[in-house]
Amino acid sequence: MAKRSSPRVLKHCPEGHPMDMLWRTCPKCTGDPPLMQPEPRDYDQATRILEPAAVAEAAAPAVAAGPLVWSLVVTEGILPGRRIDLQGKGVRVGRSPNRAGGQEPLELPDTHLSRDHFAVVPDGEGWLIHDLGSTNGTRVNGEKVNRRALQEGDEVRAGHTTFRVEHGPGGTA
């Protein structure tokens, strides 16, 4: 699931100083930190003021690129550039992974991987990564994990191989 960010919007105090939309007071005029307005509970219902570039992007027609799929893309180590589309019951990664759990085995000749190192399995609309008791561990964004939900942009490191999690148009497995 992609992170949603609120657009950067500005307003000005009576003296003309730029202020964030949630500020009630101007720090330049008062010399104090700004007093904040309460944030709307639901950004979908909030009024948004978009900068001109954001308006042009929002008005651009979407290009039909086919269905969106989750993928692991090798960024460092063995087979850089390789894209593994996540589908069905997922994928099992290691030096010599088995087909336990119905996941597709992905064999990588990385000597720092365990035979069965980690598995990526479906979880509703997203995917979970499970370390399968590997010797050297599995890291997501630098943090050693046993089980964790994956998000677009996450970096998965196992052995000397690094994968980036992508959610976009499908590639080749």
Side-chain angles (χ1 to χ4, degrees):
M1 173 185 282
K3 292 182 181 177
R4 183 173 22 168
S5 64
S6 58
R8 179 155 170 76
V9 292
L10 295 175
K11 64 181 181 181
H12 294 86
C13 73
E15 298 296 319
H17 301 123
M19 297 174 39
D20 281 339
M21 288 300 291
L22 294 178
W23 292 357
R24 289 185 5 207
T25 60
C26 175
K28 289 189 178 182
C29 292
T30 63
D32 295 326
L35 294 176
M36 304 294 284
Q37 294 181 6
E39 292 190 40
R41 291 181 188 252
D42 185 1
Y43 281 107
D44 292 336
Q45 302 299 319
T47 301
R48 295 178 186 256
I49 300 172
L50 302 175
E51 295 174 359
V55 172
E57 289 174 12
V63 177
L68 297 179
V69 297
W70 288 89
S71 304
L72 292 177
V73 179
V74 179
T75 58
E76 292 179 29
I78 309 291
L79 307 173
R82 170 103 187 256
R83 173 181 297 275
I84 301 98
D85 288 346
L86 300 174
Q87 50 194 346
K89 292 188 177 181
V91 66
R92 199 171 184 98
V93 178
R95 274 193 341 258
S96 179
N98 64 41
R99 286 181 149 308
Q103 291 102 19
E104 281 297 316
L106 174 62
E107 186 174 329
L108 294 175
D110 181 340
T111 58
H112 288 84
L113 286 178
S114 295
R115 277 185 228 143
D116 268 324
H117 199 97
F118 70 87
V120 179
V121 296
D123 179 48
E125 295 291 316
W127 294 84
L128 287 176
I129 187 166
H130 292 270
D131 183 86
L132 299 172
S134 65
T135 303
N136 295 322
T138 302
R139 295 185 177 276
V140 177
N141 300 328
E143 178 184 335
K144 193 169 184 177
V145 297
N146 288 324
R147 179 177 184 227
R148 178 177 165 179
L150 292 174
Q151 296 181 345
E152 183 174 11
D154 280 349
E155 185 178 270
V156 176
R157 179 128 180 120
H160 286 284
T161 305
T162 303
F163 304 86
R164 182 179 58 249
V165 178
E166 292 186 355
H167 186 219
T172 55

